[in-house]
Amino acid sequence: MGWIKFGPDDATTARITSLAEQIAHHSHLYYNAAAPEISDAEFDVLWDELKSLDPEHPQLRRIGAPIAPGSVKVEHRFPMRSLDKATGDDEVAHFVAETTARGRRFVAQPKLDGSALSLEYRRGRLTRAATRGSGERGEDVTSNALRIPNIPDKLSWEGDCHVRGEVVMHLDVFFEKYSKIAPNPRNLAAGSLRQKNIESGKGDASDLTFHAYDVRFVPNEDKHPDSPEALHFENDSESIAWLRSIGITPAEEVVIVGTNDDDTTQALLDETKRWTENRNKAPWEIDGVVFKLDNLAKRELLGETAHHPRWALAWKFPPEEATSVLLDIDWQTGRTGAVTPVARVAPVVVSGVTVENTTLHNVGEVERLGISIGDKVRVVRRGDVIPKIIETMGPAQPNDIKDRFHANGEEFTGKLPPSSPPKIPTECPECSTELSLDGAFLRCSNLSCPARLARSILYWCRALEMDGIGEKLVDQLCEADLVKTIPDLYRLNSEQIQGLERMAEKSATNVMKQLDGTRELPLNIFLSALGLPGIGPELATAFAGEICTIDALISLGEDDLERLVAIEGVGDTVAYSLMKGIAYRSEMVEDFNQILTITEVAKTKAPSGPLVGFSFCITGTLTRPRKEIALKTKMAGGKVVSAVSGKLDYLVAGENAGSKLDKARRLGVTVLNEKEWEEMLQP
Ligand code: IVH
């Protein structure tokens, strides 16, 4: 009896399975582990054979081995920066003045309020998709990105590039399917993108849309050998048109060209007005307008800060407001010992989000607002920023509270509290240590205060990206007295963790694995994870580049002040914060030094150039943007400061220089015009 064969024979089926497995294995080594075992050419042979045997094989759609979204971290080859923000007309005018010395052409796009995504294409195929994360490292979300209908898994250009954009959810779809499970479309877009599987109920990525706003090309020396060379466009508007031509959907753009600063500013402001009028017509949420210099060479010249590029500005819609009633104020001790007031208000919806807790920043702010419990208050929420009480409108009336509703339609049943002035605590709400006033802040000075400890541990774990150690586990560890200082984490064993409620062997092993993975770390990361007051990751890196070793950090003293303040962006205050913070924690730092391997960081190169050792302040109208002058001064080794003092070496003054010029003359500081400054740049 003969068989009619519909599919491949057994040998071919086995070969297909084997090829798919090999491709998954080598892709994982290449993309996830960054440790390839075979050459690109050998990989392509496997790929082409699978394609010839089974062109529709799912492994051809997914280059990496299937990985659960969120479980693998991705180092962004091109960091994903943030944007400088503006809300007022004068900030737009300032941006124009600072950027347009050689032409005035901008690309304007709506600022889409979603979740940023980077798509990596290699030989025109989507090989990986990652969230923005910290900007330097994001999470691999390839499998979810592949479900987004307008993300092509193959471009019509077969080269290597990274396409960046925003993933948004159509408002229609959001209100039809998801408004009960998520506060707004942005949260849902982020959740759908990062969820481990669709059944998690966080939203289906196939309901999302991608809009590109940037493309970067992999330099020729790193591209796949068979890929075409990196492309170079003169203007961003050309790269947007090109993206469209290869199958990507860019955010809609207009190009604005002005003839002088005033009409350029006006044209940008007109664009903000156009979007203000059309905001509600857009099918997805937008929270402002992004302006970017169109000319890419000029972008290079202006450069970027660690936070944002200098050639772009995000103008944000004015904040949305609502009124509510202040029900109570809770005081919370944070990681640095600052005791901050959290206002509990009757639930109120502000720009799509139900607000019940808002920050009052510090005791100074409570006093400044003159607020009482039971007051009617104005609450403002600006885009992604935490809601804030900006004003009290005096004692609330019963109707003020009756009209408030939860987002899900439930009526608020709480009662209007009797009017009473806020009680400012004198003792730490956690450990009862007497509080002291430090500027506008109340502070608990007890380093082993349980609230400070738990928050410092969490900060440490987050800084070292130990995702398996969350708030709940940290609280359990502290409550069980297993951890009394951060270094105690490294003395834990698996049995102790398993002894905690709801900690199975698997989770305990995971926690131990994460801790073990951070037993060796460079000084900059160590310093940043300590979370010293006023010292964030950027300053920690700057300090580490000067201090270099843990031993030098431990022995910091007054003598070091001079070299610390010589670091770009470091003044007396932060230098003291560092020294005080370390001295305060000397025992813990010594303990860490015993238990961890804290590796040396290379010394930041000393500046070189003709301006080394001189400080400059720049003022007035010059022929170039001030930022360009500042940048060139720094590149020539000079230090740029923002204020005139007796210590200043040179004031570079343009036309209409005002009070700074007067002050410089009074103090006998040498004043340079632009030409004299230019001459100083010559080596
Ligand atoms: S340009 C160097 N254009 O806004 C950064 N960003 O607040 C280049 N965003 O992280 C970004 N719409 O995710 C750009 N049309 C647009 C945008 C946009 C939304 C997001 C982006 C960025 C965030 C910064």
Side-chain angles (χ1 to χ4, degrees):
M1 194 171 68
W3 291 95
I4 304 172
K5 274 193 200 150
F6 289 104
D9 58 29
D10 287 354
T12 313
T13 310
R15 181 68 189 150
I16 289 173
T17 311
S18 151
L19 284 167
E21 277 170 13
Q22 289 182 63
I23 290 173
H25 170 72
H26 291 296
S27 302
H28 171 74
L29 292 176
Y30 185 97
Y31 291 105
N32 306 336
E37 282 172 357
I38 60 172
S39 69
D40 281 353
E42 286 166 317
F43 181 86
D44 289 343
V45 170
L46 298 174
W47 182 279
D48 292 342
E49 189 184 344
L50 179 59
K51 197 164 180 183
S52 70
L53 293 176
D54 185 359
E56 299 299 317
H57 196 284
Q59 184 58 48
L60 296 170
R61 273 182 64 82
R62 97 172 74 90
I63 280 218
I67 39 175
S71 57
V72 171
K73 290 270 184 327
V74 173
E75 195 89 27
H76 292 302
R77 167 166 199 135
F78 310 97
M80 294 180 79
R81 300 270 182 251
S82 202
L83 287 170
D84 199 11
K85 297 190 180 71
T87 45
D89 294 5
D90 47 342
E91 288 164 292
V92 175
H94 185 251
F95 171 67
V96 168
E98 294 274 280
T99 47
T100 61
R102 291 194 211 95
R104 298 178 173 86
R105 205 174 55 235
F106 293 93
V107 171
Q109 284 178 324
K111 185 168 175 341
L112 298 155
D113 196 9
S115 199
L117 184 68
S118 172
L119 304 174
E120 297 177 24
Y121 287 94
R122 195 159 157 85
R123 293 181 72 198
R125 299 186 203 118
L126 180 67
T127 52
R128 192 160 64 170
T131 60
R132 176 170 181 273
S134 65
E136 308 289 335
R137 280 151 68 81
E139 285 179 10
D140 190 315
V141 292
T142 315
S143 58
N144 286 335
L146 278 167
R147 297 179 54 81
I148 299 179
N150 75 334
I151 292 186
D153 62 329
K154 198 166 178 304
L155 302 175
S156 59
W157 178 73
E158 296 190 336
D160 298 3
C161 65
H162 292 205
V163 178
R164 268 77 190 274
E166 200 83 354
V167 166
V168 291
M169 173 160 287
H170 268 259
L171 287 163
D172 289 354
V173 182
F174 176 76
F175 286 115
E176 194 186 307
K177 287 173 71 173
Y178 299 112
S179 56
K180 293 254 180 335
I181 63 161
N184 57 42
R186 166 158 43 91
N187 281 21
L188 196 84
S192 321
L193 207 52
R194 297 180 58 212
Q195 68 187 323
K196 298 236 184 318
N197 54 53
I198 317 173
E199 286 77 44
S200 72
K202 293 215 177 105
D204 186 342
S206 68
D207 285 331
L208 302 172
T209 314
F210 175 78
H211 297 268
Y213 50 66
D214 194 26
V215 55
R216 300 290 172 100
F217 293 94
V218 176
N220 289 338
E221 57 274 24
D222 296 335
K223 71 172 181 62
H224 187 285
D226 296 341
S227 287
E229 301 217 323
L231 300 178
H232 290 282
F233 294 105
E234 191 182 334
N235 290 310
D236 192 23
S237 40
E238 291 159 44
S239 69
I240 296 172
W242 175 79
L243 281 172
R244 221 170 250 130
S245 77
I246 58 160
I248 297 276
T249 319
E252 60 179 288
E253 88 287 4
V254 292
V255 174
I256 297 174
V257 189
T259 50
N260 58 45
D261 280 8
D262 288 344
D263 72 9
T264 313
T265 305
Q266 194 51 51
L268 300 193
L269 291 174
D270 289 347
E271 185 64 6
T272 65
K273 287 200 193 84
R274 190 174 75 82
W275 273 111
T276 307
E277 281 154 22
N278 291 311
R279 182 181 188 180
N280 294 332
K281 293 192 195 129
W284 37 75
E285 278 200 318
I286 55 177
D287 58 343
V289 186
V290 183
F291 297 111
K292 302 175 242 192
L293 265 186
D294 196 18
N295 185 299
L296 299 171
K298 276 185 70 181
R299 289 190 184 179
E300 287 278 308
L301 209 67
L302 282 164
E304 29 195 65
T305 70
H307 174 261
H308 63 259
R310 293 195 180 89
W311 41 260
L313 184 75
W315 179 88
K316 306 259 283 192
F317 291 122
E320 288 191 29
E321 284 193 22
T323 58
S324 184
V325 175
L326 179 64
L327 302 175
D328 205 353
I329 297 180
D330 286 341
W331 296 84
Q332 287 180 353
T333 309
R335 167 177 59 83
T336 60
V339 178
T340 52
V342 179
R344 310 285 176 208
V345 296
V348 59
V349 178
V350 196
S351 38
V353 172
T354 307
V355 175
E356 287 179 87
N357 303 317
T358 87
T359 172
L360 279 165
H361 298 295
N362 53 42
V363 67
E365 177 80 351
V366 173
E367 282 161 0
R368 194 185 66 79
L369 289 172
I371 199 169
S372 287
I373 313 283
D375 275 3
K376 182 172 176 179
V377 289
R378 274 173 69 206
V379 179
V380 167
R381 181 173 175 270
R382 195 194 291 276
D384 41 8
V385 177
I386 304 169
K388 194 177 147 176
I389 292 183
I390 54 158
E391 193 188 27
T392 167
M393 300 160 84
Q397 303 305 313
N399 276 350
D400 292 328
I401 206 160
K402 231 175 40 211
D403 297 341
R404 320 269 144 226
F405 294 97
H406 270 295
N408 60 13
E410 235 174 75
E411 199 167 346
F412 178 73
T413 50
K415 290 207 173 66
L416 189 64
S419 179
S420 63
K423 286 195 193 72
I424 312 284
T426 52
E427 291 180 353
C428 171
E430 289 290 332
C431 70
S432 304
T433 302
E434 196 178 326
L435 299 177
S436 56
L437 196 60
D438 176 4
F441 284 89
L442 285 173
R443 222 173 264 286
C444 165
S445 59
N446 174 10
L447 264 188
S448 39
C449 165
R452 291 189 66 173
L453 175 64
R455 295 209 168 90
S456 312
I457 294 176
L458 263 180
Y459 191 85
W460 173 269
C461 294
R462 291 205 177 126
L464 300 183
E465 298 179 357
M466 289 188 263
D467 305 332
I469 310 182
E471 214 166 316
K472 178 115 208 303
L473 178 60
V474 170
D475 284 344
Q476 283 176 298
L477 289 168
C478 294
E479 272 160 30
D481 262 354
L482 288 172
V483 175
K484 293 198 187 71
T485 68
I486 317 176
D488 283 347
L489 283 175
Y490 295 91
R491 285 183 271 267
L492 288 169
N493 60 43
S494 182
E495 287 70 43
Q496 287 171 316
I497 300 173
Q498 280 177 57
L500 298 169
E501 204 183 313
R502 295 197 327 146
M503 285 303 286
E505 189 181 338
K506 200 167 151 216
S507 335
T509 313
N510 177 37
V511 169
M512 291 305 291
K513 210 171 96 196
Q514 296 208 356
L515 285 167
D516 284 342
T518 60
R519 278 180 194 272
E520 182 173 326
L521 75 177
L523 185 71
N524 56 327
I525 303 288
F526 171 73
L527 201 49
S528 158
L530 273 185
L532 305 183
I535 304 202
E538 279 151 30
L539 274 174
T541 301
F543 278 127
E546 172 60 32
I547 301 169
C548 303
T549 66
I550 179 72
D551 293 333
L553 181 75
I554 290 174
S555 53
L556 269 189
E558 284 280 329
D559 299 349
D560 296 295
L561 193 62
E562 200 173 321
R563 66 185 181 115
L564 294 183
V565 295
I567 301 171
E568 170 86 44
V570 172
D572 283 359
T573 320
V574 263
Y576 271 118
S577 295
L578 173 77
M579 297 204 301
K580 220 166 80 181
I582 294 294
Y584 217 48
R585 292 163 182 76
S586 58
E587 233 173 89
M588 181 168 86
V589 175
E590 294 276 5
D591 193 8
F592 266 133
N593 195 20
Q594 298 296 319
I595 214 159
L596 302 178
T597 310
I598 302 165
T599 54
E600 183 170 345
V601 165
K603 188 147 185 119
T604 308
K605 267 219 242 84
S608 63
L611 307 187
V612 168
F614 297 117
S615 58
F616 292 79
C617 178
I618 305 157
T619 190
T621 313
L622 299 133
T623 69
R624 307 169 169 79
R626 236 179 264 166
K627 278 181 188 157
E628 188 182 328
I629 299 200
L631 209 68
K632 288 202 163 132
T633 306
K634 285 187 201 164
M635 273 163 27
K639 189 170 175 175
V640 178
V641 298
S642 55
V644 176
S645 74
K647 282 193 277 177
L648 180 68
D649 295 308
Y650 298 102
L651 179 76
V652 184
E655 275 175 45
N656 303 322
S659 59
K660 284 190 179 157
L661 182 59
D662 297 341
K663 190 165 175 194
R665 291 211 171 111
R666 231 179 22 249
L667 296 171
V669 171
T670 311
V671 178
L672 303 174
N673 62 29
E674 197 170 338
K675 196 152 171 288
E676 289 164 326
W677 165 80
E678 233 179 299
E679 281 161 12
M680 282 189 75
L681 288 178
Q682 307 309 320

